[in-house]
Amino acid sequence: ILTILGNSAVLTTAVKRSSLLKSPELLTVNLAVADIGMALSMYPLAIASAWNHAWLGGDASCVYYALMGFLFGVCSMMTLCAMAVIRFLVTNSSKSNSNKITKSTVCILIAFIWLYSLLWAILPLVGWGYYGPEPFGISCTIAWSKFHNSFNGFSFILSMFLLCTVLPALTIVACYLGIAWKVHKAYQEIQNIDRIPNAAKLEKKLTLMAVLISVGFLSSWTPYAAASFWSIFNSSDSLQPVVTLLPCLFAKSSTAYNPFIYYVFSKTFRCEIKKLQCCCGWRVHYFSSDNSADHPVSTMWSG
């Protein structure tokens, strides 16, 4: 519910401000699409299976569930990687060079992300890798236990781990470390904190927001990755069902965090949420935004 409501609000805000969206903001929209797509295509089936105490639908629904999870998971990871790279390029480029990142360029990048994710998702369907049930029995994913059973499973899991997890994660960390160093050097050159321009403050705030989005995603999926790799080298029976279930649930919760991060850091998004609440007749207390350092024309996620 939080995933659908929060990301629907992000998409509604993006549609209302479509003419004002800057090119990097399209990646934020793409991330919201991936999150809400995962919630709509997977969570109802998982909830129904949980109430049933067993997986529903047989092998066909298991493959569907695992494919959707892999597709949207890789898409989210690669989108976060693209966001980090663009933030790094913008921070380390002159004003004229940063303007070269156009909407058409980002749209091409988004199309590549979806094609890349779809390619990895369908590979197990054409014979490289396998999909199978989770150890706790009410969810499906990549068949991690096939790692040692065949060269096919070994090569797929190793390649997927390197190209869809390790490389993007290292790129994200490297980009944000580079940005942090650049911001640190820039602040050192300014002796008086009161003289820091609003643009520099906004840049720092937007970078922090992007870092939190990436940290939220990676930290949510780390316990699941740990449990999955345990099942690679050990029998799935060596872990209690709850030990494998909780990391899976925690990983799925990653789709709900981003709208809250946007709400805290973006004055524009807060205003749009208030307008939506007024339209729907909602009455909810908000965090005070009097001390917000947002620029009046700042956006959800700006380059």
Side-chain angles (χ1 to χ4, degrees), residues 14-239:
V15 170
K16 291 178 62 177
R17 301 182 59 259
S18 57
S19 60
L20 301 176
L21 287 179
K22 295 183 179 180
S23 50
E25 288 184 288
L26 296 177
L27 290 171
T28 303
V29 175
N30 191 57
L31 191 60
V33 170
D35 288 344
I36 201 170
M38 181 177 288
L40 292 175
S41 64
M42 299 171 60
Y43 296 173
L45 184 56
I47 293 170
S49 297
W51 281 105
N52 187 56
H53 300 282
W55 182 253
L56 295 175
D59 293 340
S61 63
C62 184
V63 170
Y64 160 79
Y65 185 94
L67 186 147
M68 291 294 104
F70 198 18
L71 171 65
F72 291 119
V74 174
C75 181
S76 296
M77 185 66 168
M78 300 309 298
T79 301
L80 291 173
C81 182
M83 289 171 65
V85 171
I86 289 181
R87 290 297 305 158
F88 179 80
L89 294 177
V90 169
T91 303
N92 290 274
S93 301
S94 62
K95 181 69 174 178
S96 58
N97 289 333
S98 63
N99 290 335
K100 293 181 180 179
I101 304 176
T102 61
K103 285 188 176 182
S104 59
T105 301
V106 176
C107 286
I108 293 173
L109 179 59
I110 290 174
F112 172 79
I113 288 172
W114 280 102
L115 289 175
Y116 184 83
S117 305
L118 183 61
L119 172 64
W120 279 101
I122 64 176
L123 283 176
L125 302 181
V126 297
W128 192 32
Y130 309 93
Y131 288 133
E134 299 270 16
F136 52 86
I138 56 172
S139 179
C140 294
T141 185
I142 297 169
W144 300 100
S145 60
K146 299 288 187 180
F147 184 81
H148 287 298
N149 294 351
S150 67
F151 178 76
N152 188 326
F154 169 82
S155 59
F156 174 76
I157 291 175
L158 184 62
S159 301
M160 180 275 298
F161 176 68
L162 292 175
L163 298 178
C164 298
T165 305
V166 174
L167 186 59
L170 290 178
T171 302
I172 291 171
V173 172
C175 287
Y176 287 131
L177 286 177
I179 293 172
W181 176 252
K182 177 75 173 181
V183 172
H184 173 69
K185 296 295 290 184
Y187 271 64
Q188 277 189 329
E189 295 174 0
I190 303 175
Q191 300 297 326
N192 189 349
I193 191 69
D194 295 329
R195 296 178 59 188
I196 297 177
N198 289 333
K201 295 179 181 178
L202 179 60
E203 181 74 18
K204 182 179 179 180
K205 193 169 188 177
L206 293 172
T207 300
L208 178 60
M209 182 177 72
V211 168
L212 289 176
I213 293 171
S214 299
V215 169
F217 182 85
L218 294 176
S219 60
S220 298
W221 282 91
T222 298
Y224 179 76
S228 298
F229 276 94
W230 175 270
S231 64
I232 287 177
F233 300 104
N234 301 274
S235 171
S236 58
D237 297 333
S238 61
L239 293 176

